[in-house]
Amino acid sequence: MSHLLMVALSLVSGDVNSRRSPVVQVVEKVSPAVVYVGTVSVVETRFRSRSFEDFFFSPQEERRAVEGLGSGVIIDAAGVIVTNEHVIRGASEIHVVLADGRQVDAEVIGSDSDADLAVLKINVKGPLPAAKLGTSSDLMIGESVVAIGSPLGLKKTVTVGVVSALGRTIKSDDRVLNDFIQTDASINPGNSGGPLLNIDGEVIGINSAIIASAQNIGFAIPVDKVRRIVTELTQFGKVRAAWVGLDVQPLSLELSRRLGWDRTFGALINVVEDGSPAALAGFQRGDIVMQVGTTQIENADDLRSRIRGLTAKSPVQMKIFRAGQELAVELTPIEFPQKLVDSTVWDRLGLRLKQAQGGMVITAVRPGTPASRVGLEPGDAVVRVNQMPVGTPDAFKEAIVQARGKQSVLLLVKRGGRGYYLTLPF
């Protein structure tokens, strides 16, 4: 090889190395752990035939398969993958496509709609490339981030931006999701479930394309929350509902003045239940909650939403204002007690139930409640709550816990061998 050719090749090689920026290094390091998640869901459509005979009889049903797409990231070399819950919701088949092109069926270890996270497992020979989970506790607004995913089915797409804001609360459908990282790295449908990375190549969030019309505004679930939820799902198959035992109300200008509070944010505690985690932590009626973790509390709804996002036995640091002083308090939620489910159903729905053949059977209906007005009676069986089967007390408890924060609840009630749906305020 001539000296001139060797010099030319050396220059080309040196030029490539000079262009291997921190972003390129992140992509080279982490992209092997990013997967494409494909799903198939069976959708049933009811319709009436155009024929004269069928018009007066039962409607026909048409079943068709609908394909979905999203992204995910391998977090354990044994084949554990994190993605969004909405990516796999309702899917009858789930598969992932690995970086080397292999397509593998995946099983769901657990999922949680409140956190919009799901954990999948695949079985392949040998260890897989896994991304390293970092921390979201020290994120800085303005720091560079990289998103990798499959927007609109375009696999392994890389976008770059910065952390635009922290602790964002987003309304999606009938849910309120909180504590998001906001970024200007493009996140589109199909990016959902893919990783948001810092410049060291660590996962700092799981992308969630929850606002399809957004431009240059993307959101990601902080990795510290992801780690906590993944632990719950892998150990228990679900996120254990947390109970803290306090309620709050909005802060009016008059209340703020009386309490010596001169800020425009915060939530006022008006109930602390005896023996609850909140009582044990030292919360008092009249305290103003300023902060949960590192995130400022904007109002009462914001705090209620964040409390619903806590997990049992996971301590959280909170900051409160009391009698002119700012105090730090550590709160450790516990699993939602069964007795609280019973009292919640009685207080909100006016029903008492017990397990019997065929489901949970109503034993008492409080007069003057919506349940009484629609004609529910002792002996009626509640078969489903928000489409969740409730044949056991544990299943009923799970359904009621999932209904927290919703304005109404859908019941499937069975009486005399016939079933019917009804909606009650909750």
Side-chain angles (χ1 to χ4, degrees), residues 77-274:
V80 178
I81 297 169
V82 174
T83 187
N84 284 142
E85 184 272 342
H86 76 257
V87 169
I88 56 96
R89 186 185 305 152
S92 56
E93 300 176 23
I94 304 172
H95 66 265
V96 301
V97 179
L98 304 176
D100 59 12
R102 284 181 291 172
Q103 179 171 309
V104 187
D105 290 337
E107 62 173 319
V108 179
I109 300 300
S111 64
D112 184 72
S113 60
D114 286 342
D116 195 22
L117 289 170
V119 179
L120 310 179
K121 179 70 167 62
I122 58 174
N123 295 310
V124 295
K125 292 183 178 180
L128 292 166
K132 179 182 178 182
L133 299 184
T135 180
S136 48
S137 62
D138 60 359
L139 288 178
M140 300 173 288
I141 295 176
E143 73 170 283
S144 298
V145 290
V146 179
I148 306 178
S150 304
L152 307 176
L154 301 171
K155 300 175 185 177
K156 295 298 176 68
T157 294
V158 177
T159 56
V160 180
V162 299
V163 174
S164 303
L166 299 170
R168 289 298 198 204
T169 296
I170 306 299
K171 291 186 177 180
S172 176
D173 299 325
D174 63 342
R175 297 180 300 166
V176 177
L177 305 172
N178 59 59
D179 203 25
F180 274 92
I181 302 167
Q182 181 181 324
T183 177
D184 64 349
S186 295
I187 296 175
N188 295 290
N191 272 114
S192 294
L196 186 69
L197 307 155
N198 63 19
I199 210 65
D200 293 327
E202 298 171 330
V203 178
I204 58 166
I206 296 297
N207 298 322
S208 184
I210 55 174
I211 301 182
S213 61
Q215 297 184 12
N216 296 323
I217 300 177
F219 299 95
I221 305 164
V223 73
D224 290 346
K225 182 176 183 178
V226 172
R227 186 183 285 106
R228 188 172 73 247
I229 298 298
V230 167
T231 298
E232 289 279 305
L233 294 178
T234 53
Q235 289 187 2
F236 306 103
K238 64 178 183 178
V239 176
R240 295 169 297 169
W243 177 59
V244 300
L246 62 78
D247 198 10
V248 291
Q249 69 180 66
L251 267 170
S252 66
L253 183 60
E254 180 62 27
L255 282 172
S256 296
R257 286 173 177 170
R258 289 185 180 183
L259 295 169
W261 180 245
D262 60 357
R263 315 288 176 85
T264 59
F265 61 89
L268 177 63
I269 295 177
N270 59 6
V271 175
V272 179
E273 298 182 42
D274 293 339

Side-chain angles (χ1 to χ4, degrees), residues 6-25:
M6 291 179 64
V7 171
L9 289 174
S10 177
L11 288 173
V12 171
S13 176
D15 188 50
V16 170
N17 288 331
S18 69
R19 290 188 285 111
R20 185 164 279 108
S21 67
V23 172
V24 173
Q25 294 177 51

